[in-house]
Amino acid sequence: MSHEDTPKGAKITFQVDGRACEGFHHESLLGALRRLGFEVPSLCFHEAVSTYGACRLCLVEVQKGRKSRITTSCNFPVTAGLQVRLDTPAVQQNRKIVFQLLLAKAPASPEVRALAAEYGVHSTPYKVSEEAKDNKCILCGLCARVCTEVVGANAIAFSGRGSHKDMVAPYDEAAEACIGCGACVEVCPTHCIGLRETPEIRTIEKWHRDLPLQKCEKCGRPFAPTFQLMTLGKRVGMKLSDFKVCNDCR
Amino acid sequence: MDDAKLKSIIEKHDRDPANLLAILMDIQKEERWLPKETLKALAAEMNLPLARVYALATFFAAFSLKPRGKHLCTVCMGTACHVRGAPRLVDHIQREFDVLAGNTTADMKLTLETVNCVGACALGPLVIVDGEYHGNMNAGKMDRVLKPIKQE
């Protein structure tokens, strides 16, 4: 059976460092490796959303037939007979460079520094620009992928290109489409988005979004932004009045 | 841009989100730039996230989110033009019109932009003035091309 005929998700075997492993046809190689218990570093991967290959940390060496090459494993599909090597000198060398680049891009991120240190990279030879000094964002786009694919709010997206690329709300103003659910805050690998809450208002700092919170009718505790309840309610055909009590009191 | 005009552009492209790029180009043809209010109206009218429209509009150097002047002067700064003296041309125009690259003169007469390669490397250094391509440019020829604009 040629692999074009193999249905997506069919059980197949491939090799990791010479060991036979079971996987599913066309699943994410990184997902499979993680499930099998192999350790591969990564910042921008999340099983709930599409892969993007942005952080470049999940490098592995893959071989099918005679040619072997270095690739990001998150967006590489598993196929039968694939040979994967995890920690070859070439992988180590490339990963070191990626860590150094990330350290120059987001020097203020303790998460990036900690992960780099785990792999023996403690400093970067690249110039850290003045604007980058306080930067924590590695532009992996995971927040936008979650916002689009999971939440469906589409509040944020990449803007610009090349050295001007940025992750901002449109015009870097308050993101009107943001429902303040905080999924992006939760999922951000470098915790650079920032969520603040007073009893009245939830603020998502990076998207400049302030949203009044709904108070539970029973316990009086603020439990979710009113706008979030309204938007999600509209989607499932319910009214705001159906969300008067919090989860705990329901 | 008024609503009717915007709607006619959207209709012309079958209201298809896949034609968003062409729609933005048509809007810019009319307005010379992409005004914020128009992009917001476009997103609402096509039921698209503003974030997506903004992402596309900021990705391409051909789009401007700042008001452009009456005339547009684009200097190619691709590798070939660069080594043939494009930076000197930019300096020259900046001095002549008192405007920094990427900006518009105070009287809104001329916008000076740089772009990285327009694919006419054999003609470098290349300058595009109001859609017209001028190859093998130097400061003297530049002055002649820009003279009518200066004297306006």
Side-chain angles (χ1 to χ4, degrees), chain A residues 154 157-161 170-171 173, chain B residues 36 39 49-51 54-55 58-59 61:
Chain A
N154 287 303
F158 279 123
S159 75
R161 171 174 55 148
Y171 293 98
E173 291 173 354
Chain B
K36 190 199 283 184
L39 292 193
L50 179 63
Y54 183 74
T58 54
F59 186 86

Side-chain angles (χ1 to χ4, degrees), chain A residues 37-212:
Chain A
F38 293 102
E39 218 173 278
V40 182
S42 142
L43 289 169
C44 75
F45 178 76
H46 197 288
E47 51 280 335
V49 292
S50 60
T51 55
Y52 190 61
C55 75
R56 317 304 296 173
L57 281 173
C58 61
L59 296 173
V60 294
E61 208 167 326
V62 291
Q63 186 172 358
K64 188 125 203 207
R66 275 192 310 178
K67 265 194 185 155
S68 99
R69 64 184 179 101
I70 304 269
T71 182
T72 45
S73 58
C74 65
N75 53 5
F76 193 88
V78 175
T79 50
L82 183 75
Q83 286 180 306
V84 186
R85 279 188 297 271
L86 298 182
D87 216 22
T88 62
V91 168
Q92 287 170 10
Q93 176 58 27
N94 281 286
R95 196 164 52 204
K96 184 178 160 194
I97 296 169
V98 173
F99 269 124
Q100 290 170 338
L101 288 166
L102 284 174
L103 284 173
K105 172 82 201 159
S109 164
E111 291 81 5
V112 172
R113 263 184 280 136
L115 192 60
E118 250 180 69
Y119 285 83
V121 183
H122 300 280
S123 63
T124 180
Y126 301 102
K127 199 183 158 205
V128 177
S129 65
E130 201 54 43
E131 314 93 83
K133 263 190 183 138
D134 304 315
N135 183 42
K136 290 177 169 187
C137 177
I138 59 164
L139 295 182
C140 71
L142 185 56
C143 47
R145 277 177 282 151
V146 166
C147 189
T148 302
E149 297 172 30
V150 179
V151 182
N154 287 303
I156 45 171
F158 279 123
S159 75
R161 171 174 55 148
S163 55
H164 302 296
K165 191 172 185 174
D166 205 356
M167 178 55 75
V168 291
Y171 293 98
D172 204 12
E173 291 173 354
E176 281 166 37
C178 170
I179 62 171
C181 66
C184 54
V185 180
E186 188 66 31
V187 88
C188 175
T190 62
H191 304 294
C192 70
I193 296 168
L195 184 149
R196 261 183 299 126
E197 237 175 48
T198 67
E200 276 77 40
I201 284 173
R202 176 183 287 182
T203 305
I204 313 275
E205 290 167 8
K206 201 172 162 81
W207 324 132
H208 318 297
R209 185 70 162 150
D210 298 313
L211 287 164

Side-chain angles (χ1 to χ4, degrees), chain A residues 8-29:
Chain A
K8 242 183 178 179
K11 233 182 209 174
I12 46 108
T13 50
F14 68 109
Q15 287 197 330
V16 182
D17 288 334
R19 234 175 76 191
C21 293
E22 270 197 349
F24 302 100
H25 187 63
H26 266 242
E27 71 171 319
S28 153
L29 176 55

Side-chain angles (χ1 to χ4, degrees), chain B residues 101-128:
Chain B
N103 290 288
T104 303
T105 53
D107 56 4
M108 295 301 282
K109 208 146 92 180
L110 181 82
T111 298
L112 176 62
E113 286 182 356
T114 60
V115 66
N116 297 325
C117 198
V118 293
C121 305
L123 294 174
L126 187 89
V127 178
I128 310 163

